[in-house]
Amino acid sequence: ALALETGCAPEAVAEAALGTHWFIQGSEVDFCQGWIEKFSVLASSTGSAVHAVAAHGLRVFERWLDGAKQRESEEQVSGIMPDE
C-alpha cells in the first residue's frame, strides 16, 4: 500500500511481489494456480490501485499457467515425466 501511495505504478508493485527467481517444487500448474488464487483474493479489494496490482498479477500467472499446461501435456505425451 505504501508503494502505491508514494506513486509506484500498480504493475511495478505486482512485479516486485512476483520476484525474479523461483524454485518450484511439484507441479508448475499447481504453483501457478496457487498464485492465481492469491491474486484473486487481492482482486476483491475495494481499492482501485490494489485491484490494478491484482489484475496485473493475474494476467502474468494466467499466461504462465497456459504455458505450464502446454509443457505438462507435452511432457506426458513425450514420456519425459512419468505419470504421477
Side-chain angles (χ1 to χ4, degrees), residues 11-29:
E11 294 81 7
V13 174
E15 292 292 332
L18 300 176
T20 58
H21 294 85
W22 298 96
F23 174 77
I24 300 172
Q25 185 173 354
S27 165
E28 184 181 6
V29 169

Side-chain angles (χ1 to χ4, degrees), residues 8 11 15 17 19-20 22 29 34-35 42 47-48 61 70 72-73 79:
C8 288
E11 294 81 7
E15 292 292 332
T20 58
W22 298 96
V29 169
W35 274 98
L42 192 60
S48 62
F61 277 101
Q70 180 65 35
E72 188 175 89
S73 175

